[in-house]
Amino acid sequence: MSKLVVDANYRFIAAYQEVNARISQRQQALTLYVSLVVSLLAALVALKPGASGGELPVEWLVLGFPVASTSLAFLNYKAERAITNLRRFLASLEQLGNAHQELRSYNTDPQWAQGANKARRYHDYASAVLVAGGNAIGLGAVIRIYPERIAETPVVIWISAAIALFSLLALLLTPRLSYRPIR
């Protein structure tokens, strides 16, 4: 019985396809976040006092904004860790037989790897802007539409703001996890 071995080229192609899938997942997470925030805002407006929503638990609904932000931060973290791991694997394949010394290597050469990280950082900035804006708009809408309810339970706003701030910081720190080539 012969032993089958998967060629390094096929492994490289498969790993790059996985990197592209992870990048797509990051984009889809942004879309999911925007959809959730817009839905929460619509629900807040639809439930405003005078529209038979005065007795509904808006205090619970307001927590949806930081929950959505935290979910985005976790999904962003997961994708960045997966991309970093895959790029390490790709770099090891680029170095087989010292090929990286003869050919340009995207994952091995710091110049190319850092350029990719800088480009991906804009996704993190976009995520941070969306989280800051989404939470500011959401919490501001709650305070404006339901001032009496929030006056009764201000801790909900403080908890929501703290969780939102945590997720914003997590998104801003994500670039520190980016792949760095090891030579």
Side-chain angles (χ1 to χ4, degrees), residues 86-129:
L86 288 162
R87 290 189 66 202
R88 280 191 186 116
F89 177 73
L90 290 165
S92 71
L93 291 175
E94 288 174 356
Q95 294 174 17
L96 287 176
N98 291 320
H100 66 291
Q101 294 174 351
E102 297 174 26
L103 300 169
R104 291 184 179 191
S105 299
Y106 186 75
N107 294 291
T108 304
D109 187 333
Q111 171 192 357
W112 299 104
Q114 290 169 357
N117 289 345
K118 286 179 184 177
R120 228 177 25 263
R121 228 174 263 143
Y122 284 96
H123 173 90
D124 299 320
Y125 297 151
S127 298
V129 168

Side-chain angles (χ1 to χ4, degrees), residues 39-91:
S39 298
L40 287 166
L41 285 170
L44 283 174
V45 172
L47 298 174
K48 69 182 176 181
S52 73
E55 298 304 317
L56 294 172
V58 295
E59 295 83 2
W60 288 89
L61 193 57
V62 74
L63 292 173
F65 292 99
V67 166
S69 300
T70 303
S71 296
L72 176 62
F74 286 151
L75 291 171
N76 211 38
Y77 174 82
K78 177 193 76 131
E80 190 61 37
R81 296 304 304 165
I83 290 168
T84 297
N85 189 41
L86 288 162
R87 290 189 66 202
R88 280 191 186 116
F89 177 73
L90 290 165

Side-chain angles (χ1 to χ4, degrees), residues 31-50:
T31 303
L32 175 64
Y33 175 76
V34 170
S35 298
L36 287 171
V37 168
V38 169
S39 298
L40 287 166
L41 285 170
L44 283 174
V45 172
L47 298 174
K48 69 182 176 181

Side-chain angles (χ1 to χ4, degrees), residues 58-70 131 135-136 138-140 142-143 150 153-168:
V58 295
E59 295 83 2
W60 288 89
L61 193 57
V62 74
L63 292 173
F65 292 99
V67 166
S69 300
T70 303
V131 163
N135 280 283
L139 297 178
V142 167
I143 292 168
I150 296 307
T153 55
V155 71
V156 172
I157 291 294
W158 290 108
I159 290 171
S160 295
I163 296 170
L165 184 60
F166 165 78
S167 61
L168 179 63

Side-chain angles (χ1 to χ4, degrees), residues 7-55:
D7 184 78
N9 287 332
Y10 292 111
R11 293 174 190 215
F12 193 84
I13 291 167
Y16 250 111
Q17 288 174 342
E18 186 66 23
V19 167
N20 289 331
R22 300 302 176 166
I23 291 169
S24 292
Q25 286 177 347
R26 286 180 67 163
Q27 292 305 113
Q28 291 169 353
L30 277 179
T31 303
L32 175 64
Y33 175 76
V34 170
S35 298
L36 287 171
V37 168
V38 169
S39 298
L40 287 166
L41 285 170
L44 283 174
V45 172
L47 298 174
K48 69 182 176 181
S52 73
E55 298 304 317

